[in-house]
Amino acid sequence: MAVVVETTIGDFTIDLYTEERPQTCRNFLKLCKLKYYNWNLFHSVQSNFIAQTGDPTGTGKGGESVYGIVLGEKARYYEAEQMPKIKHDRSGLLSMVNCGNNMLGSQFFITLAPELQSLDGHHCVFGEIAEGLEIVLKLNETICDGDHRPYQDIRISHTVILEDPFEDPKNFVVPDQSPPPTREALMSDRIGADEVIDDTAGMTTEEIVEMQKEKEAKARATILEIVGDIPDAEMAPPENVLFVCKLNPVTTDDDLEIIFSRFGKIVGCEVIRDRQTGDSLQYAFIEFGDRKSCEEAYFKMDNVLIDDRRIHVDFSQSVAKMRWKGKGKGIQYFDDKGNETTSENRRKKKDEFRNKDDARSRRENGNRYMEEVPDHRKHERRKDVDRGNSDCSHNGEKYVSKEEKRQESSRERYEFDVRRGKERRRRSRDRSGGRNRDKSKERDRNKRESDKEHKRKKKRYDRAGSNISSDDTRHEKHKEKHSSHKKKRNRDRSRERYEESEKRKRR
């Protein structure tokens, strides 16, 4: 048995479970026949859960069964059917709303998502969407308030029964035509179902663009508030703090402070570092004494080269660890635990990270240099390191000064340039036709000529045929004769030597 339900967002067809739920299907069909559901609101829509309707009052507290209409107030509700059990296992199922104590009236809901096990055993499933499921799933995109009430009304405008196998109860009066909507039914403080929404009506192009930018800014602020980057979406970032990114890992706080101090007084400059390793994360925040200096640095320092890196500069948008006290009152800083930090504590932490970074870079550069330099220079390098260790240390780890580091790096660059120059001269000599290249060319030429001569001889031997074989046989016989003669001569010599030795013994 099927019923077509027409709504303000589209039409869909319902197949009823008349064999499994005969009483509930009879109640639903007779209410549709009475046009009871006409102009009913979808008064509760929960995305990816359910969409509820069937209450003429639109409050979710009204509605009655067909038995209450025919028999009176005492028969307003009827007992739900529990067997067989039908689960809410897919989208597009129709289920009656349990009004308490397993009693049902006229309200029902449509499932908007699969596997809603929390509804099983509490509400009675009596049908499913056979056609137009995509219309029903549009309800997932409905914008609602905190009570799940849509801001724009969605109503059932008409119901059409395709087939009704149940008899009408006594005193059941079928209306001749669909009743018009009453004023009370259409009374709503929301946007009308047929009302066209146009927020830009009567606005100029500039106003529309400004409104769109404002909406995007609010959306971004809300996202930052959700992820914990800012404590309040309405909070404005400070106007005198600059965000600098794409930094070289070797760039320090002091370097940035020296470079940006030409625009005005700097209250604080901090390169953000990893909490455990202390490595630079390659971005920093610079707080100026006034807004004008910050703006001047923003316009002049973007895409500037610092330590072989082109930096990017923008106004700071993150206020997760700071509170803006107001214009002229400064900024209140907080650490990861939410405790307020003073400028002295931030300076101590900055010095600690700087000392760790210097010690680590000294070890890395020293080890790399000791591996590259010749053996006769290693002793000198150790002297240099010991000389630098005499006046500075940190936590027992000694390191050289920055000036010695610069001298060391310049010496390494000089040696590298010398090696590179030798290699370039050698390559240019080879390209200009040097002695080694001439010899290789001569060897290649001789080899090609010998290969050609070998091929010519082979062709000549192949043409000779049997002559080659006879020559080979004659050569073998001569070789054999010669070897036998040589053996005989050796035997004669050995015999003569033996006889001479015997004669000497007899004497």
Side-chain angles (χ1 to χ4, degrees), residues 22-34:
Q23 190 173 357
T24 303
C25 291
R26 183 187 183 191
N27 173 61
F28 182 77
L29 284 171
K30 300 309 174 183
L31 289 176
C32 291
K33 199 170 185 177
L34 289 173

Side-chain angles (χ1 to χ4, degrees), residues 128-141:
E128 65 178 354
I129 304 295
E131 297 179 4
L133 181 60
E134 67 279 0
I135 301 297
V136 175
L137 295 180
K138 284 183 181 179
L139 296 170
N140 282 325
E141 304 173 2

Side-chain angles (χ1 to χ4, degrees), residues 103-315:
M103 302 300 288
L104 309 180
S106 63
Q107 295 189 43
F108 65 94
F109 61 81
I110 304 173
T111 59
L112 303 179
E115 304 299 333
L116 301 178
Q117 290 89 350
S118 60
L119 303 176
D120 296 341
H122 299 284
H123 305 280
C124 177
V125 179
F126 67 95
E128 65 178 354
I129 304 295
E131 297 179 4
L133 181 60
E134 67 279 0
I135 301 297
V136 175
L137 295 180
K138 284 183 181 179
L139 296 170
N140 282 325
E141 304 173 2
T142 304
I143 301 175
C144 305
D145 59 9
D147 298 328
H148 307 293
R149 172 82 180 271
Y151 283 108
Q152 185 173 16
D153 290 339
I154 303 174
R155 297 180 181 271
I156 298 175
S157 56
H158 195 61
T159 56
V160 180
I161 300 174
L162 302 182
E163 186 178 356
D164 183 6
F166 301 104
E167 294 182 359
D168 296 338
K170 293 181 180 180
N171 302 325
F172 184 82
V173 180
V174 180
D176 297 335
Q177 59 181 2
S178 298
T182 60
R183 183 177 180 182
E184 291 77 10
L186 297 180
M187 186 68 67
S188 175
D189 57 348
R190 304 301 170 104
I191 302 171
D194 55 350
E195 185 176 350
V196 179
I197 304 175
D198 187 8
D199 296 338
T200 61
M203 298 176 64
T204 62
T205 306
E206 291 78 7
E207 292 175 342
I208 295 173
V209 172
E210 184 178 357
M211 182 182 67
Q212 291 175 350
K213 290 182 178 180
E214 184 178 356
K215 288 182 179 180
E216 292 175 358
K218 287 183 178 180
R220 287 194 296 267
T222 304
I223 293 173
L224 291 176
E225 183 182 13
I226 292 172
V227 301
D229 194 41
I230 57 176
D232 186 7
E234 299 297 329
M235 181 178 182
E239 298 177 347
N240 61 332
V241 177
L242 208 61
F243 171 73
V244 184
C245 62
K246 299 182 180 180
L247 293 172
N248 193 313
V250 301
T251 305
T252 63
D253 306 336
D254 295 337
D255 298 336
L256 290 179
E257 188 170 355
I258 292 172
I259 294 171
F260 282 86
S261 60
R262 63 191 183 94
F263 298 103
K265 182 182 178 181
I266 293 181
V267 179
C269 177
E270 181 179 5
V271 174
I272 307 303
R273 299 180 179 273
D274 187 87
R275 188 182 305 174
Q276 297 179 351
T277 63
D279 296 334
S280 172
L281 298 180
Q282 302 178 27
Y283 69 93
F285 292 95
I286 302 174
E287 181 182 355
F288 288 88
D290 51 57
R291 176 182 176 182
K292 184 178 180 181
S293 301
C294 184
E295 290 180 351
E296 187 177 358
Y298 167 73
F299 288 115
K300 292 187 178 181
M301 291 302 294
D302 192 23
N303 207 30
V304 172
L305 197 66
I306 297 180
D307 290 335
D308 298 331
R309 293 285 184 90
R310 294 200 175 274
I311 66 171
H312 174 66
V313 176
D314 199 353
F315 288 102

